[in-house]
Amino acid sequence: MLFVEANGAKIPAIGLGTWELRGRTCARLVEQALKLGYRHIDTAQVYENEREVGEGLRASRVKRDDVFVTTKVWTNHFAPHDLERSTKESLTKLRLTEVDLLLLHWPNPHVPLAETLGALANARKHGLCRHIGVSNFTVGLLDEAVAACPEPLVCDQVEYHPYLDQTKVREACARHGMALVAYSPVAKGRIKGDATLARIGRVHGKTAAQVCLRWLVQQNVSAIPRTSRIERLSENIDIFDFALAEEEMTEIFRMASPKGRLTDFGFAPKWD
Ligand SMILES: NC(=O)c1ccc[n+]([C@@H]2O[C@H](COP(=O)([O-])OP(=O)(O)OC[C@H]3O[C@@H](n4cnc5c(N)ncnc54)[C@H](OP(=O)(O)O)[C@@H]3O)[C@@H](O)[C@H]2O)c1
């Protein structure tokens, strides 16, 4: 496993995304992922699966300190007292005393950013999390957040895959010593039928998904693919025994298009 180092945090380069994984399936996948060598699990309050993520963690018997657990605070809990209360609720569900990384899930223009960041920093000071960060922050918001936050932010978790150019966010993260954590890293499964990725994969004896994830990791990005299939857990982590050549990296960078963004919840920030 490689790690992405960012402002004191060591984030495993591959993690398991858990959005839409529920109940027994979620607990079983988390347990199995950890048994297969995953050391990074991504959940969120709004996924309504923190309890099952916690069950999977305990069932795996992997030592707590060896796993990097991220959760996220939803936007309706950004008022300072709400943020602390809701983080404690997350910890109760996970049955953990602290998470490794606590993120603001989306920007919320209705609560002053400095106040929310102050509360996020306090959550760290009070031992509820080891590190703090943001998600879905544009470059402008990221610069604002770094300037306003009393503690270092370690990542911006954003959508990133070969169909979407994230050069600006990647450069901003690097400028601030932060990591980019890529969500929807296999473009919600769309990479499966991609001819370019499949062709590159054949050269290395790898699948299109493995080429895609390797391309992210080779940029010093951490990726959190989600799967509900046990066999794909192994596929998605088996990317550390090959490397893409510079020409292959460049070819994949050229796949991005202005229509490549897949996430649109109707309240997304203005990106450009
Ligand atoms: N911060 C945010 O706002 C935010 C937003 C979205 C997501 N996330 C996080 O990022 C995680 C990943 O993003 P995502 O769930 O949107 O999308 P994703 O991981 O890119 O794609 C998941 C989809 O791809 C399929 N898939 C997974 N591995 C595959 C493989 N090797 N080959 C072919 N298909 C494969 C899965 O199907 P099967 O289940 O059939 O394998 C599933 O339908 C989420 O689970 C969540 O933890 C965060």
Side-chain angles (χ1 to χ4, degrees):
M1 177 63 71
L2 293 175
F3 294 86
V4 177
E5 302 207 12
N7 286 333
K10 249 183 107 180
I11 307 174
I14 289 287
L16 175 68
T18 66
W19 180 43
E20 287 185 332
L21 298 180
R22 296 277 163 83
R24 276 301 307 146
T25 308
C26 177
R28 208 166 50 90
L29 279 152
V30 169
E31 174 187 355
Q32 196 57 35
L34 291 166
K35 286 183 171 163
L36 287 169
Y38 282 71
R39 290 296 179 265
H40 174 181
I41 309 289
D42 181 84
T43 181
Q45 190 178 61
V46 81
Y47 299 170
E48 294 183 348
N49 63 10
E50 286 168 315
R51 208 175 294 282
E52 290 77 14
V53 166
E55 279 169 26
L57 283 169
R58 286 188 299 284
S60 75
R61 302 194 171 275
V62 173
K63 280 207 311 240
R64 168 65 189 99
D65 282 352
D66 293 344
V67 188
F68 192 95
V69 181
T70 300
T71 196
K72 317 182 192 83
V73 187
W74 191 241
T75 53
N76 59 346
H77 295 134
F78 280 8
H81 57 285
D82 280 345
L83 190 143
E84 174 146 347
R85 187 189 43 75
S86 100
T87 304
K88 284 182 177 163
E89 257 176 49
S90 288
L91 293 174
T92 304
K93 288 181 184 156
L94 285 158
R95 284 177 55 192
L96 296 177
T97 52
E98 64 180 359
V99 284
D100 296 272
L101 181 56
L102 183 65
L103 303 181
L104 301 182
H105 204 144
W106 281 85
N108 179 353
H110 306 296
V111 183
L113 183 57
E115 278 182 25
T116 307
L117 289 167
L120 192 67
N122 276 336
R124 182 175 182 231
K125 268 197 215 133
H126 297 159
L128 306 183
C129 56
R130 291 183 184 147
H131 304 284
I132 55 174
V134 294
S135 179
N136 295 299
F137 273 42
T138 58
V139 171
L141 275 173
L142 195 60
D143 290 344
E144 205 185 307
V146 168
C149 193
E151 300 268 329
L153 294 166
V154 306
C155 85
D156 191 2
Q157 184 183 119
V158 293
E159 179 181 338
Y160 190 27
H161 46 71
Y163 305 128
L164 181 64
D165 179 4
Q166 284 289 31
T167 309
K168 287 181 189 162
V169 178
R170 207 157 38 87
E171 286 175 356
C173 284
R175 191 154 34 81
H176 294 305
M178 295 168 64
L180 190 159
V181 175
Y183 76 67
S184 305
V186 293
K188 297 186 185 288
R190 285 173 175 75
I191 43 74
K192 190 168 176 265
D194 190 282
T196 305
L197 296 175
R199 173 174 43 76
I200 295 173
R202 278 194 292 278
V203 176
H204 297 279
K206 295 286 175 183
T207 65
Q210 289 171 323
V211 170
C212 171
L213 293 167
R214 180 71 209 184
W215 174 76
L216 290 166
V217 163
Q218 252 178 253
Q219 297 168 55
N220 205 28
V221 160
S222 170
I224 48 170
R226 163 187 52 112
T227 181
S228 54
R229 302 198 203 176
I230 301 277
E231 67 276 16
R232 283 188 177 156
L233 285 175
S234 323
E235 178 183 344
N236 291 349
I237 204 171
D238 186 16
I239 61 157
F240 298 107
D241 60 352
F242 78 112
L244 296 169
E246 208 153 314
E247 313 83 75
E248 293 170 323
M249 292 292 286
T250 307
E251 188 176 2
I252 302 171
F253 274 114
R254 289 205 191 104
M255 288 166 54
S257 95
K259 290 192 174 154
R261 192 179 297 281
L262 302 172
T263 312
D264 181 8
F265 294 122
F267 54 94
K270 244 182 122 9
W271 287 94
D272 301 306

